[in-house]
Amino acid sequence: MTDLPADALLVVTHPLVRHKLTRLRDRATSTADFRRLVRELSLLLGYEATRGLKLEPVTIETPLETMEGEQLSGKKLCFVSILRAGNGILDGMLDLVPSARVGHIGLFRDPKTLEAVEYYMKLPDDVAERQCIVVDPMLATGHSAVAAIDRLKHVGCGPIVFVCLLAAPEGVACLSAAHPDVRIITGALDRGLDDHGYIRPGLGDAGDRLFGTK
């Protein structure tokens, strides 16, 4: 992988993230536990993804006196889930920011070319006025992430952050080459991809493990 700007990739090494990722990777982890762990990890990663949100002053009354506090400034966030597996992270993100708007982009990976094929997109009408956080459990080849962000930029979105549980060096390089302005936040940077485009050591197919389809 080519060298990236210092702020282009953040691997969150918090002990809770490392612990929960280990349990998530374990093939013996049940579907119910897998869903719960993804939701918990998305909260921890979402904390980092929202660190740069702008604030504005606000005057409030505590039970004891008047004070000046701070609140989020401007339009609410938009979380964009890459279907279907992105919805596992989306749930936890909405726990963190329940007032956020939500968009969905449906993509599947062609098994022969490994390229992303779009089959669905639904975004808020004013998405271009909002900061977007794109969520997908895996950044493998990077093709799905690039395709989704291409679509968002086409309708005027920016700035954009990409959040995933695991990333491969190939995916990071692909996304950063196509969209160097998009920051990547992940729980781990794994060894690489196998011949089928799966992350190794990885955690298997995140969608199948989330929804019990295999």
Side-chain angles (χ1 to χ4, degrees), residues 190-207:
D190 276 15
R191 183 174 69 248
L193 301 179
D194 64 16
D195 292 340
H196 301 287
Y198 282 95
I199 297 176
R200 295 298 182 116
L203 51 76
D205 187 296

Side-chain angles (χ1 to χ4, degrees), residues 59-197:
T59 301
I60 63 168
E61 294 283 343
T62 78
L64 301 176
E65 64 183 57
T66 301
M67 68 160 284
E68 188 169 276
E70 294 175 302
Q71 65 182 9
L72 294 178
S73 175
K75 289 266 190 179
K76 296 179 176 65
L77 284 171
C78 181
F79 296 127
V80 180
S81 170
I82 299 179
L83 298 175
R84 63 180 169 150
N87 282 358
I89 297 181
L90 177 63
D91 291 341
M93 291 286 189
L94 287 172
D95 286 344
L96 189 66
V97 190
S99 60
R101 301 298 187 260
V102 175
H104 294 89
I105 299 178
L107 300 165
F108 68 87
R109 187 170 62 176
D110 186 291
K112 292 183 179 179
T113 66
L114 302 183
E115 295 291 333
V117 180
E118 181 183 319
Y119 63 89
Y120 179 82
M121 186 173 77
K122 183 70 173 179
L123 302 170
D125 291 339
D126 60 351
V127 66
E129 301 173 31
R130 303 175 185 275
Q131 179 176 338
C132 290
I133 297 178
V134 180
V135 296
D136 196 10
M138 316 294 276
L139 180 59
T141 64
H143 297 157
S144 293
V146 168
I149 293 169
D150 282 345
R151 297 291 279 139
L152 290 173
K153 287 189 173 181
H154 181 71
V155 298
C157 293
I160 298 169
V161 177
F162 183 84
V163 177
C164 59
L165 302 176
L166 298 180
E170 296 92 330
V172 172
C174 178
L175 178 52
S176 295
H179 298 290
D181 58 317
V182 172
R183 193 175 192 218
I184 302 166
I185 297 176
T186 186
L189 184 64
D190 276 15
R191 183 174 69 248
L193 301 179
D194 64 16
D195 292 340
H196 301 287

Side-chain angles (χ1 to χ4, degrees), residues 4-81:
L4 300 173
D7 61 347
L9 172 67
L10 173 63
V11 179
V12 181
T13 58
H14 190 286
L16 284 175
V17 172
R18 295 165 70 179
H19 168 77
K20 291 177 188 296
L21 266 180
T22 298
R23 295 190 59 196
L24 198 69
R25 293 179 189 271
D26 191 337
R27 66 185 303 170
T29 297
S30 68
T31 298
D33 286 341
F34 191 91
R35 289 175 186 156
R36 177 179 54 79
L37 287 163
V38 168
R39 194 173 191 131
E40 292 170 354
L41 281 162
S42 66
L43 284 166
L44 295 167
L45 297 175
Y47 178 81
E48 295 295 341
T50 56
R51 184 181 291 276
L53 294 179
K54 294 180 180 179
L55 295 169
E56 62 185 12
V58 59
T59 301
I60 63 168
E61 294 283 343
T62 78
L64 301 176
E65 64 183 57
T66 301
M67 68 160 284
E68 188 169 276
E70 294 175 302
Q71 65 182 9
L72 294 178
S73 175
K75 289 266 190 179
K76 296 179 176 65
L77 284 171
C78 181
F79 296 127
V80 180
S81 170

